[in-house]
């Protein structure tokens, strides 16, 4: 009888999903070093609009200034380091530090500093700026002062999105958040394969043609798609695309007349804890019945995934195995892991 041999390929070590030292290193080498989604232009439509956003323990303010420019800067006072803005969002003429009353303009520059000669403050005359780029209404930031333009890493993803001309006209209409009791990478791993879909997502598997489900891999992103079983042949051409974007972003785009988008940001809170921010973007503030149904469908799939990753996390901290193995259809996870190792190796 003929036998075939299978070469086993190994996942990241499980200790990378539980070790506090690895977690600290990831914050520096990945989250303070990559282009990450912070928000959307519809959150800062008017002059003075702002929102705050924390990534890898770094608090930020994103605001629209008097010149109609969008800015990102650390939400940290240059006087003695207090956090300046406490609210999640709003509209202001100036930002004021509650400690000694320094005030800042909408672009982060100092407005007034009682007891100081403001001409002699050097770099302490401004909240520290952060790199920012806007693409298709999405606001990305990069905490590395020497960051290369976003197109250097995410250029192919940006090119792929060019075909969706409706993206610029969308508004962020709803946001839900959830703390997941799992490492951020476990959530990404789970997203990057659909071998589990048949077992864990019965409704999803009925809605999409699972025999023709594709995961295309590209530099720094992947795209999953399949035709919907319920639509006509013509409608099926306009299938939904489910993107993963290095390192921690998922973007689902549903094209067509009522084109819309959802983003999922997976933010690291602790080795075994992540914050997921799910945002829904539609053309109008009012969510149609059809789109409410879409949100319900997406939420259901997510709930099923939460259970999976939280159970998965429990396996990372036992002595049973040190790492896992990939199935042939788990190649997108393999890419994510190799990409991760590349970043973590750098000094
Ligand atoms: S720390 Fe902000 S004004 Fe002093
Ligand atoms: Fe899933």
């Amino acid at each position: 009888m003929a036998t075939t041999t299978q070469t086993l390929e190994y996942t990241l070590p499980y200790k990378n999903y539980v070790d506090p030292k690895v977690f600290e290193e990831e914050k520096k080498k990945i989250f303070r070093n990559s282009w990450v989604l912070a928000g959307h232009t519809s959150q800062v439509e008017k002059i003075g609009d702002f929102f705050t956003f924390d990534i890898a323990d770094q608090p930020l303010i994103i605001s629209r200034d008097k010149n109609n420019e969008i800015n990102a800067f650390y939400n940290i006072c240059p006087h003695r380091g207090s956090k300046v803005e406490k609210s999640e969002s709003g509209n202001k003429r100036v930002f004021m530090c509650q400690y000694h009353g320094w005030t800042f303009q909408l672009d982060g520059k100092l407005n007034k500093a009682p007891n100081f000669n403001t001409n002699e403050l050097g770099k302490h005359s401004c909240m520290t700026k952060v790199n920012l780029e806007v693409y298709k209404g999405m606001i990305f930031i990069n905490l590395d002062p020497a960051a290369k333009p976003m197109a250097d890493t995410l250029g192919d993803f940006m090119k792929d999105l060019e075909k969706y001309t409706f993206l610029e006209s969308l508004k962020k209409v709803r946001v839900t958040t959830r703390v997941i009791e799992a490492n951020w990478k476990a959530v990404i791993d789970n997203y990057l394969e659909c071998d589990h879909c048949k077992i864990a997502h019965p409704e999803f598997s009925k809605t999409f043609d699972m025999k023709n489900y594709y995961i295309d891999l590209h530099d720094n992103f992947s795209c999953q798609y399949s035709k919907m079983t319920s639509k006509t042949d013509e409608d099926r051409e306009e299938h939904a695309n489910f993107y993963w974007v290095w390192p921690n972003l998922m973007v689902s785009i549903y094209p067509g007349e009522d084109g819309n988008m959802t983003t999922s940001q997976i933010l690291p809170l602790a080795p075994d804890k992540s914050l997921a921010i799910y945002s829904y973007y539609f053309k109008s503030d009012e969510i149609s019945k059809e789109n409410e149904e879409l949100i319900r469908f997406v939420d259901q799939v997510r709930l099923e995934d939460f259970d999976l990753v939280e159970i998965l996390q429990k396996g990372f901290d036992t002595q049973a195995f040190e790492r896992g193995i990939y199935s042939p259809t788990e190649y997108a996870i393999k890419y994510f892991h190799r990409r991760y190792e590349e970043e973590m190796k750098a000094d």
Side-chain angles (χ1 to χ4, degrees):
M1 201 168 73
T3 53
T4 52
T5 50
Q6 176 171 296
T7 320
L8 296 182
E9 289 193 87
Y10 294 95
T11 66
L12 289 175
Y14 289 158
K15 80 166 175 30
N16 287 33
Y17 294 74
V18 291
D19 186 338
K21 267 199 230 126
V22 172
F23 182 72
E24 287 308 311
E25 219 178 306
E26 288 173 354
K27 284 198 272 188
K28 277 194 216 118
K29 293 186 171 175
I30 294 175
F31 289 95
R32 295 179 196 158
N33 204 9
S34 303
W35 286 97
V36 291
L37 182 72
H40 191 257
T41 48
S42 57
Q43 294 171 266
V44 283
E45 266 178 338
K46 294 190 296 293
I47 289 172
D49 283 355
F50 74 90
F51 63 91
T52 53
F53 176 70
D54 282 23
I55 176 87
D57 304 330
Q58 305 299 306
L60 307 173
I61 298 178
I62 320 288
S63 67
R64 187 177 287 274
D65 68 24
K66 278 195 291 202
N67 300 322
N68 229 350
E69 301 283 334
I70 301 175
N71 302 268
F73 41 87
Y74 287 89
N75 188 7
I76 295 294
C77 183
H79 176 212
R80 295 244 316 280
S82 173
K83 192 167 171 178
V84 176
E85 183 55 54
K86 289 182 191 155
S87 33
E88 279 180 15
S89 62
N91 183 283
K92 294 227 156 142
R93 294 217 333 256
V94 288
F95 296 108
M96 186 169 95
C97 179
Q98 306 292 318
Y99 205 167
H100 312 94
W102 283 31
T103 54
F104 303 89
Q105 293 164 20
L106 296 169
D107 60 0
K109 289 198 188 106
L110 186 65
N111 184 52
K112 281 195 180 122
N115 291 336
F116 282 91
N117 177 352
T118 50
N119 295 326
E120 289 167 10
L121 290 176
K123 70 173 184 180
H124 289 264
S125 66
C126 193
M127 289 202 261
T128 303
K129 281 257 185 195
V130 167
N131 295 302
L132 173 145
E133 285 195 35
V134 175
Y135 188 68
K136 296 277 185 194
M138 290 179 270
I139 300 172
F140 289 84
I141 54 103
N142 190 320
L143 298 180
D144 176 5
K148 302 220 173 80
M150 190 164 90
D152 271 32
T153 43
L154 300 184
D156 291 347
F157 167 66
M158 292 156 80
K159 247 184 252 156
D160 214 75
L161 255 52
E162 276 305 308
K163 56 182 180 259
Y164 304 116
T165 46
F166 64 90
L167 288 182
E168 275 100 344
S169 57
L170 299 180
K171 282 186 201 168
K172 193 179 209 172
V173 177
R174 191 175 291 174
V175 180
T176 58
T177 59
R178 161 134 185 173
V179 173
I180 304 175
E181 304 291 332
N183 185 275
W184 70 276
K185 299 188 294 301
V187 184
I188 306 293
D189 291 349
N190 173 70
Y191 184 83
L192 287 176
E193 51 91 359
C194 206
D195 290 6
H196 70 273
C197 294
K198 241 186 161 167
I199 298 170
H201 304 309
E203 198 185 345
F204 180 90
S205 304
K206 255 190 262 157
T207 310
F208 292 100
D209 174 5
M210 299 314 291
K211 286 204 186 80
N212 294 294
Y213 190 88
Y214 304 98
I215 306 177
D216 289 351
L217 259 185
H218 308 271
D219 275 352
N220 296 306
F221 80 101
S222 68
C223 181
Q224 306 184 36
Y225 55 94
S226 160
K227 289 172 179 173
M228 286 177 87
T229 46
S230 59
K231 301 241 172 157
T232 63
D233 277 350
E234 208 171 286
D235 288 343
R236 278 191 227 168
E237 287 313 310
E238 290 215 304
H239 53 72
N241 281 330
F242 307 119
Y243 293 95
W244 159 73
V245 185
W246 167 262
N248 68 329
L249 172 65
M250 278 85 95
V251 182
S252 301
I253 298 180
Y254 301 85
E257 241 171 68
D258 199 16
N260 61 72
M261 170 172 88
T262 67
T263 57
S264 315
Q265 297 151 270
I266 309 300
L267 305 172
L269 296 182
D272 58 356
K273 216 184 273 288
S274 311
L275 174 68
I277 306 177
Y278 301 110
S279 309
Y280 301 86
Y281 310 77
F282 297 106
K283 280 183 189 157
S284 122
D285 286 334
E286 267 175 47
I287 303 180
S288 66
K289 244 181 152 184
E290 218 185 14
N291 286 333
E292 281 292 356
E293 175 51 28
L294 176 70
I295 293 175
R296 187 210 59 77
F297 171 76
V298 172
D299 279 350
Q300 175 60 34
V301 177
R302 274 192 201 127
L303 280 175
E304 291 158 357
D305 279 328
F306 294 147
D307 281 351
L308 296 178
V309 294
E310 289 184 352
I311 290 177
L312 181 67
Q313 182 69 31
K314 296 190 194 306
F316 294 143
D317 211 8
T318 75
Q319 297 175 49
F321 290 95
E322 283 169 10
R323 40 172 77 199
I325 48 178
Y326 304 113
S327 85
T329 39
E330 288 172 325
Y331 52 88
I333 307 182
K334 189 162 77 183
Y335 172 82
F336 169 52
H337 289 179
R338 299 296 95 88
R339 184 73 189 78
Y340 168 91
E341 283 170 331
E342 211 179 280
E343 288 302 316
M344 293 291 277
K345 245 191 346 235
D347 289 333

